[in-house]
PDB file of all heavy atoms in Angstrom:
ATOM      1  N   LEU E 440     -19.822 -20.963 -18.733  1.00 93.00           N
ATOM      2  CA  LEU E 440     -20.342 -21.488 -19.943  1.00 93.00           C
ATOM      3  C   LEU E 440     -20.322 -23.035 -19.806  1.00 93.00           C
ATOM      4  O   LEU E 440     -21.312 -23.698 -20.131  1.00 93.00           O
ATOM      5  CB  LEU E 440     -19.605 -21.115 -21.193  1.00 93.00           C
ATOM      6  CG  LEU E 440     -19.760 -19.872 -21.814  1.00 93.00           C
ATOM      7  CD1 LEU E 440     -18.895 -19.536 -22.896  1.00 93.00           C
ATOM      8  CD2 LEU E 440     -21.299 -19.771 -22.459  1.00 93.00           C
ATOM      9  N   GLY E 441     -19.247 -23.550 -19.333  1.00 95.00           N
ATOM     10  CA  GLY E 441     -19.107 -25.032 -19.175  1.00 95.00           C
ATOM     11  C   GLY E 441     -17.628 -25.294 -18.863  1.00 95.00           C
ATOM     12  O   GLY E 441     -16.860 -24.444 -18.585  1.00 95.00           O
ATOM     13  N   VAL E 442     -17.255 -26.515 -18.871  1.00 97.00           N
ATOM     14  CA  VAL E 442     -15.791 -26.917 -18.455  1.00 97.00           C
ATOM     15  C   VAL E 442     -15.312 -28.012 -19.401  1.00 97.00           C
ATOM     16  O   VAL E 442     -16.104 -28.645 -20.129  1.00 97.00           O
ATOM     17  CB  VAL E 442     -15.851 -27.555 -17.051  1.00 97.00           C
ATOM     18  CG1 VAL E 442     -16.341 -26.502 -16.140  1.00 97.00           C
ATOM     19  CG2 VAL E 442     -16.573 -28.795 -16.931  1.00 97.00           C
ATOM     20  N   TYR E 443     -13.985 -28.151 -19.441  1.00 98.00           N
ATOM     21  CA  TYR E 443     -13.327 -29.236 -19.993  1.00 98.00           C
ATOM     22  C   TYR E 443     -12.778 -30.192 -18.810  1.00 98.00           C
ATOM     23  O   TYR E 443     -12.164 -29.516 -18.017  1.00 98.00           O
ATOM     24  CB  TYR E 443     -12.214 -28.972 -20.979  1.00 98.00           C
ATOM     25  CG  TYR E 443     -12.665 -28.456 -22.367  1.00 98.00           C
ATOM     26  CD1 TYR E 443     -11.710 -27.794 -23.115  1.00 98.00           C
ATOM     27  CD2 TYR E 443     -13.932 -28.548 -22.741  1.00 98.00           C
ATOM     28  CE1 TYR E 443     -11.996 -27.341 -24.346  1.00 98.00           C
ATOM     29  CE2 TYR E 443     -14.274 -28.071 -23.988  1.00 98.00           C
ATOM     30  CZ  TYR E 443     -13.370 -27.555 -24.859  1.00 98.00           C
ATOM     31  OH  TYR E 443     -13.717 -26.954 -26.057  1.00 98.00           O
ATOM     32  N   SER E 444     -13.253 -31.286 -18.664  1.00 97.00           N
ATOM     33  CA  SER E 444     -12.951 -32.045 -17.386  1.00 97.00           C
ATOM     34  C   SER E 444     -12.114 -33.396 -17.679  1.00 97.00           C
ATOM     35  O   SER E 444     -11.697 -34.026 -16.740  1.00 97.00           O
ATOM     36  CB  SER E 444     -14.129 -32.371 -16.560  1.00 97.00           C
ATOM     37  OG  SER E 444     -15.150 -33.211 -17.418  1.00 97.00           O
ATOM     38  N   GLU E 445     -11.918 -33.811 -18.940  1.00 96.00           N
ATOM     39  CA  GLU E 445     -11.320 -35.026 -19.248  1.00 96.00           C
ATOM     40  C   GLU E 445      -9.970 -35.103 -19.748  1.00 96.00           C
ATOM     41  O   GLU E 445      -9.405 -36.228 -19.777  1.00 96.00           O
ATOM     42  CB  GLU E 445     -12.361 -35.728 -20.290  1.00 96.00           C
ATOM     43  CG  GLU E 445     -13.705 -35.922 -19.901  1.00 96.00           C
ATOM     44  CD  GLU E 445     -13.923 -36.886 -18.627  1.00 96.00           C
ATOM     45  OE1 GLU E 445     -13.183 -37.775 -18.492  1.00 96.00           O
ATOM     46  OE2 GLU E 445     -14.846 -36.660 -17.896  1.00 96.00           O
ATOM     47  N   SER E 446      -9.418 -33.998 -20.140  1.00 97.00           N
ATOM     48  CA  SER E 446      -8.212 -33.992 -20.887  1.00 97.00           C
ATOM     49  C   SER E 446      -6.954 -33.978 -19.977  1.00 97.00           C
ATOM     50  O   SER E 446      -5.828 -34.233 -20.507  1.00 97.00           O
ATOM     51  CB  SER E 446      -8.206 -32.879 -21.976  1.00 97.00           C
ATOM     52  OG  SER E 446      -9.252 -33.010 -22.864  1.00 97.00           O
ATOM     53  N   HIS E 447      -7.034 -33.463 -18.817  1.00 98.00           N
ATOM     54  CA  HIS E 447      -6.009 -33.515 -17.902  1.00 98.00           C
ATOM     55  C   HIS E 447      -6.383 -34.209 -16.636  1.00 98.00           C
ATOM     56  O   HIS E 447      -7.406 -34.154 -16.153  1.00 98.00           O
ATOM     57  CB  HIS E 447      -5.534 -32.107 -17.470  1.00 98.00           C
ATOM     58  CG  HIS E 447      -4.891 -31.299 -18.495  1.00 98.00           C
ATOM     59  ND1 HIS E 447      -3.653 -31.675 -19.022  1.00 98.00           N
ATOM     60  CD2 HIS E 447      -5.257 -30.232 -19.310  1.00 98.00           C
ATOM     61  CE1 HIS E 447      -3.300 -30.774 -20.028  1.00 98.00           C
ATOM     62  NE2 HIS E 447      -4.161 -29.905 -20.179  1.00 98.00           N
ATOM     63  N   ASN E 448      -5.364 -34.832 -15.891  1.00 96.00           N
ATOM     64  CA  ASN E 448      -5.674 -35.621 -14.640  1.00 96.00           C
ATOM     65  C   ASN E 448      -4.894 -35.019 -13.569  1.00 96.00           C
ATOM     66  O   ASN E 448      -4.745 -35.688 -12.512  1.00 96.00           O
ATOM     67  CB  ASN E 448      -5.371 -37.044 -14.891  1.00 96.00           C
ATOM     68  CG  ASN E 448      -4.006 -37.430 -15.310  1.00 96.00           C
ATOM     69  OD1 ASN E 448      -2.913 -36.752 -14.949  1.00 96.00           O
ATOM     70  ND2 ASN E 448      -3.852 -38.455 -15.982  1.00 96.00           N
ATOM     71  N   ASP E 449      -4.444 -33.782 -13.698  1.00 98.00           N
ATOM     72  CA  ASP E 449      -3.650 -33.063 -12.547  1.00 98.00           C
ATOM     73  C   ASP E 449      -3.797 -31.645 -12.710  1.00 98.00           C
ATOM     74  O   ASP E 449      -4.426 -31.062 -13.681  1.00 98.00           O
ATOM     75  CB  ASP E 449      -2.122 -33.402 -12.504  1.00 98.00           C
ATOM     76  CG  ASP E 449      -1.604 -33.626 -11.049  1.00 98.00           C
ATOM     77  OD1 ASP E 449      -2.230 -32.895 -10.219  1.00 98.00           O
ATOM     78  OD2 ASP E 449      -0.709 -34.361 -10.803  1.00 98.00           O
ATOM     79  N   ASP E 450      -3.199 -30.975 -11.770  1.00 98.00           N
ATOM     80  CA  ASP E 450      -3.400 -29.419 -11.862  1.00 98.00           C
ATOM     81  C   ASP E 450      -3.115 -28.806 -13.175  1.00 98.00           C
ATOM     82  O   ASP E 450      -2.194 -29.219 -13.881  1.00 98.00           O
ATOM     83  CB  ASP E 450      -2.376 -28.720 -10.929  1.00 98.00           C
ATOM     84  CG  ASP E 450      -2.525 -29.184  -9.368  1.00 98.00           C
ATOM     85  OD1 ASP E 450      -3.655 -29.833  -9.223  1.00 98.00           O
ATOM     86  OD2 ASP E 450      -1.551 -28.911  -8.390  1.00 98.00           O
ATOM     87  N   ILE E 451      -3.968 -27.902 -13.552  1.00 98.00           N
ATOM     88  CA  ILE E 451      -3.845 -27.201 -14.983  1.00 98.00           C
ATOM     89  C   ILE E 451      -3.127 -25.808 -14.589  1.00 98.00           C
ATOM     90  O   ILE E 451      -3.638 -24.993 -14.162  1.00 98.00           O
ATOM     91  CB  ILE E 451      -5.112 -26.982 -15.647  1.00 98.00           C
ATOM     92  CG1 ILE E 451      -5.771 -28.355 -15.976  1.00 98.00           C
ATOM     93  CG2 ILE E 451      -4.943 -26.282 -16.903  1.00 98.00           C
ATOM     94  CD1 ILE E 451      -7.229 -28.342 -16.450  1.00 98.00           C
ATOM     95  N   THR E 452      -1.810 -25.951 -14.783  1.00 98.00           N
ATOM     96  CA  THR E 452      -0.896 -24.853 -14.444  1.00 98.00           C
ATOM     97  C   THR E 452      -0.946 -23.723 -15.515  1.00 98.00           C
ATOM     98  O   THR E 452      -0.498 -22.496 -15.069  1.00 98.00           O
ATOM     99  CB  THR E 452       0.409 -25.312 -14.292  1.00 98.00           C
ATOM    100  OG1 THR E 452       0.963 -26.046 -15.450  1.00 98.00           O
ATOM    101  CG2 THR E 452       0.665 -26.328 -13.000  1.00 98.00           C
ATOM    102  N   GLN E 453      -1.192 -23.992 -16.709  1.00 98.00           N
ATOM    103  CA  GLN E 453      -1.112 -22.912 -17.728  1.00 98.00           C
ATOM    104  C   GLN E 453      -2.242 -23.060 -18.709  1.00 98.00           C
ATOM    105  O   GLN E 453      -2.607 -24.186 -19.072  1.00 98.00           O
ATOM    106  CB  GLN E 453       0.136 -22.980 -18.392  1.00 98.00           C
ATOM    107  CG  GLN E 453       1.338 -22.603 -17.662  1.00 98.00           C
ATOM    108  CD  GLN E 453       1.432 -21.200 -17.462  1.00 98.00           C
ATOM    109  OE1 GLN E 453       1.805 -20.405 -18.401  1.00 98.00           O
ATOM    110  NE2 GLN E 453       1.417 -20.722 -16.307  1.00 98.00           N
ATOM    111  N   VAL E 454      -2.923 -21.896 -19.136  1.00 98.00           N
ATOM    112  CA  VAL E 454      -3.812 -21.934 -20.255  1.00 98.00           C
ATOM    113  C   VAL E 454      -3.393 -20.695 -21.137  1.00 98.00           C
ATOM    114  O   VAL E 454      -3.061 -19.660 -20.583  1.00 98.00           O
ATOM    115  CB  VAL E 454      -5.348 -21.920 -20.011  1.00 98.00           C
ATOM    116  CG1 VAL E 454      -5.802 -23.157 -19.303  1.00 98.00           C
ATOM    117  CG2 VAL E 454      -5.657 -20.782 -19.018  1.00 98.00           C
ATOM    118  N   CYS E 455      -3.450 -20.857 -22.517  1.00 98.00           N
ATOM    119  CA  CYS E 455      -2.947 -19.797 -23.276  1.00 98.00           C
ATOM    120  C   CYS E 455      -3.769 -19.807 -24.565  1.00 98.00           C
ATOM    121  O   CYS E 455      -3.613 -20.714 -25.365  1.00 98.00           O
ATOM    122  CB  CYS E 455      -1.436 -19.819 -23.413  1.00 98.00           C
ATOM    123  SG  CYS E 455      -0.830 -18.502 -24.545  1.00 98.00           S
ATOM    124  N   PHE E 456      -4.544 -18.732 -24.879  1.00 98.00           N
ATOM    125  CA  PHE E 456      -5.279 -18.698 -26.108  1.00 98.00           C
ATOM    126  C   PHE E 456      -4.333 -18.228 -27.144  1.00 98.00           C
ATOM    127  O   PHE E 456      -3.217 -17.697 -26.920  1.00 98.00           O
ATOM    128  CB  PHE E 456      -6.388 -17.531 -26.136  1.00 98.00           C
ATOM    129  CG  PHE E 456      -7.620 -17.989 -25.468  1.00 98.00           C
ATOM    130  CD1 PHE E 456      -7.997 -17.724 -24.079  1.00 98.00           C
ATOM    131  CD2 PHE E 456      -8.561 -18.725 -26.201  1.00 98.00           C
ATOM    132  CE1 PHE E 456      -9.127 -18.130 -23.559  1.00 98.00           C
ATOM    133  CE2 PHE E 456      -9.728 -19.136 -25.652  1.00 98.00           C
ATOM    134  CZ  PHE E 456     -10.100 -18.864 -24.320  1.00 98.00           C
ATOM    135  N   HIS E 457      -4.707 -18.760 -28.525  1.00 98.00           N
ATOM    136  CA  HIS E 457      -3.902 -18.329 -29.635  1.00 98.00           C
ATOM    137  C   HIS E 457      -3.890 -16.859 -29.814  1.00 98.00           C
ATOM    138  O   HIS E 457      -5.032 -16.239 -29.687  1.00 98.00           O
ATOM    139  CB  HIS E 457      -4.422 -19.156 -30.754  1.00 98.00           C
ATOM    140  CG  HIS E 457      -3.674 -18.954 -32.100  1.00 98.00           C
ATOM    141  ND1 HIS E 457      -3.663 -17.900 -32.945  1.00 98.00           N
ATOM    142  CD2 HIS E 457      -2.678 -19.873 -32.606  1.00 98.00           C
ATOM    143  CE1 HIS E 457      -2.858 -18.179 -33.902  1.00 98.00           C
ATOM    144  NE2 HIS E 457      -2.208 -19.466 -33.703  1.00 98.00           N
ATOM    145  N   PRO E 458      -2.865 -16.224 -30.329  1.00 96.00           N
ATOM    146  CA  PRO E 458      -2.769 -14.780 -30.416  1.00 96.00           C
ATOM    147  C   PRO E 458      -3.759 -14.204 -31.557  1.00 96.00           C
ATOM    148  O   PRO E 458      -4.166 -13.029 -31.454  1.00 96.00           O
ATOM    149  CB  PRO E 458      -1.323 -14.519 -30.985  1.00 96.00           C
ATOM    150  CG  PRO E 458      -0.612 -15.741 -30.263  1.00 96.00           C
ATOM    151  CD  PRO E 458      -1.494 -16.849 -30.504  1.00 96.00           C
TER     152      PRO E 458
END
Side-chain angles (χ1 to χ4, degrees):
L440 279 173
V442 303
Y443 287 168
S444 60
E445 303 293 330
S446 301
H447 288 292
N448 57 33
D449 213 334
D450 300 350
I451 299 175
T452 54
Q453 292 283 293
V454 292
C455 181
F456 277 99
H457 191 277

